[in-house]
């Protein structure tokens, strides 16, 4: 069904792998379209899927960027249209109502790092290298990276990374707050899955509401506090609230 990605359902976790290792998993248009399709359809609709891990095939790269060869002859209008469309894809991941972890297993550069930034959490293996090298190409990040990196690590560090175009390693990325955890290469999937499994014991409706409200607070067009009040109130009407509070009173584990 897909040419550039695979999706494996392992228990309640979907493992989405980008499978262009020959090109270090660079995101050509078709790959991004397939990722977008997956998040709009099966990953969203399949109730057995409680969380997603995104990673890159091969030993070397998560994703080494947007596919440079595809846009070398683009005009300003074509570049802007590509970035606008890419924003839509990244936003669907950013707003996705189930937890998503980027398992960064090598190079995460340019659009690849921007994809990881759109995920809710990032776990890097010790061999990972992260950077936004667009200035080397006479470009700036165009898939939301200027905004999401600054909101994650602050303006100073974001500008250092963007203006130097240099890569940082997993340990430095952890110190910056860019990745949540660092792990051995062979433990990467298990570490991500372990994080997700803890979330599967909790209310999926509450998790979806938390993603929405945290994102709203970072969105200049929204009032995060107002969104919190609204979502908090709505939680009271959910079966998950009934189950969670009944379980507490009965001194048992909730079953979500
Ligand atoms: N696009 C296309 N092909 C790529 C990319 C890429 N981003 N990265 C690697 N490849 C290809 C190489 O061309 C090579 O293919 P071939 O064998 O056919 O020549 C193959 O992958 C293997 O790569 P290398 O031989 O270069 O591997 P090395 O181990 O020597 O080097 C590096 C690894 C350092 C990661 C190197 O490949 C590199 O610098 N890649 C480019 C990194 C980069 O600049 N990324 C940013 C791209 S721009 C971007 O992402 C903009 C995002 C926003 C777009 C918004 C719309 C405009």
């Amino acid at each position: 069904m897909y040419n550039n990605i695979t999706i494996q359902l392992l228990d309640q976790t979907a493992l989405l792998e980008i499978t262009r290792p020959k090109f270090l998993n660079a995101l050509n248009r078709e790959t991004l379209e397939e990722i977008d399709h997956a998040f709009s359809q099966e990953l969203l609709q399949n109730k057995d899927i409680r969380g997603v891990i995104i990673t890159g095939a091969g030993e070397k790269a998560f994703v080494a960027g947007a596919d440079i060869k595809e846009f070398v002859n683009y005009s300003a209008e074509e570049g802007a249209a590509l970035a606008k469309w890419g924003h839509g894809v990244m936003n669907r991941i950013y707003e996705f109502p189930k937890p998503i972890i980027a398992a960064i297993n090598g190079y995460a550069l340019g659009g690849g790092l921007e994809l990881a930034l759109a995920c809710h959490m990032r776990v890097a293996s010790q061999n990972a290298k992260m950077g936004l090298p667009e200035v080397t190409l006479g470009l700036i990040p165009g898939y939301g990276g200027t905004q999401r990196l600054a909101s994650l690590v602050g303006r100073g560090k974001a500008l250092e990374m963007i203006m130097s175009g240099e890569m940082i390693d997993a340990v430095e990325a952890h110190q910056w707050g860019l990745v949540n955890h660092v792990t051995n290469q062979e433990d990467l999937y298990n570490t991500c899955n372990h994080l997700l499994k803890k979330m599967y014991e909790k209310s999926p409706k509450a998790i979806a509401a938390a993603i929405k409200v945290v994102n709203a607070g970072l969105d200049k067009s929204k009032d995060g506090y107002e969104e919190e009040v609204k979502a908090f109130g709505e939680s009271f009407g959910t079966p998950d609230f009934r189950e969670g509070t009944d379980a507490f009173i009965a001194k048992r584990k909730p079953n979500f």
Side-chain angles (χ1 to χ4, degrees):
M1 179 180 174
Y2 294 123
N3 296 319
N4 307 281
I5 63 171
T6 58
I7 297 172
Q8 262 177 284
L9 183 52
L10 304 153
D11 200 1
Q12 294 168 294
T13 299
L15 176 67
L16 189 160
E17 191 168 55
I18 299 162
T19 53
R20 300 184 80 217
K22 213 166 153 249
F23 307 105
L24 306 186
N25 303 316
L27 296 174
N28 60 358
R29 194 178 178 99
E30 189 183 49
T31 305
L32 259 193
E33 277 171 357
E34 290 181 0
I35 292 172
D36 196 30
H37 185 273
F39 277 101
S40 316
Q41 305 284 323
E42 62 256 48
L43 298 178
L44 183 66
Q45 286 159 11
N46 186 339
K47 293 213 173 1
D48 294 336
I49 296 174
R50 299 278 301 263
V52 183
I53 298 172
I54 305 183
T55 197
E59 298 282 292
K60 249 175 114 174
F62 173 72
V63 171
D67 193 319
I68 300 168
K69 291 159 199 161
E70 238 180 26
F71 62 67
V72 279
N73 293 317
Y74 270 21
S75 65
E77 289 72 26
E78 287 170 314
L82 180 62
K84 184 129 191 91
W85 170 74
H87 279 195
V89 179
M90 297 298 164
N91 279 338
R92 264 183 286 287
I93 294 171
Y94 186 74
E95 299 288 353
F96 197 67
K98 308 175 194 183
I100 307 173
I101 303 181
I104 305 177
N105 57 319
Y107 290 113
L109 302 175
L113 183 59
E114 294 177 283
L115 173 64
L117 286 166
C119 296
H120 304 128
M121 295 155 282
R122 284 146 292 285
V123 178
S125 59
Q126 272 151 354
N127 64 322
K129 295 252 186 262
M130 285 153 266
L132 292 173
E134 283 90 342
V135 288
T136 315
L137 301 165
L139 288 174
I140 61 166
Y143 287 156
T146 57
Q147 306 304 302
R148 292 202 178 105
L149 183 65
S151 87
L152 201 58
V153 305
R155 177 172 176 263
K157 286 196 162 67
L159 278 173
E160 181 182 333
M161 184 179 259
I162 292 167
M163 295 193 297
S164 71
E166 289 198 345
M167 299 180 208
I168 59 172
D169 64 20
V171 172
E172 203 173 357
H174 189 234
Q175 285 160 356
W176 284 27
L178 175 46
V179 301
N180 301 56
H181 302 278
V182 179
T183 168
N184 295 327
Q185 216 171 341
E186 54 277 16
D187 295 331
L188 183 59
Y189 171 78
N190 282 342
T191 304
C192 294
N193 207 27
H194 181 69
L195 264 175
L196 286 174
K197 283 204 148 147
K198 286 194 276 182
M199 296 171 191
Y200 302 159
E201 292 169 12
K202 313 296 181 199
S203 155
K205 284 201 189 313
I207 285 173
I211 293 168
K212 194 172 160 202
V213 170
V214 169
N215 287 352
L218 296 168
D219 181 338
K220 291 181 205 77
S221 70
K222 291 184 181 153
D223 181 337
Y225 290 100
E226 278 303 316
E227 296 284 338
E228 185 186 89
V229 168
K230 201 165 144 238
F232 182 76
E234 284 166 4
S235 305
F236 284 81
T238 63
D240 284 11
F241 172 70
R242 194 69 285 135
E243 170 59 15
T245 49
D246 283 355
F248 177 79
I249 302 294
K251 297 188 185 298
R252 62 170 173 81
K253 272 188 104 178
N255 182 18
F256 292 115

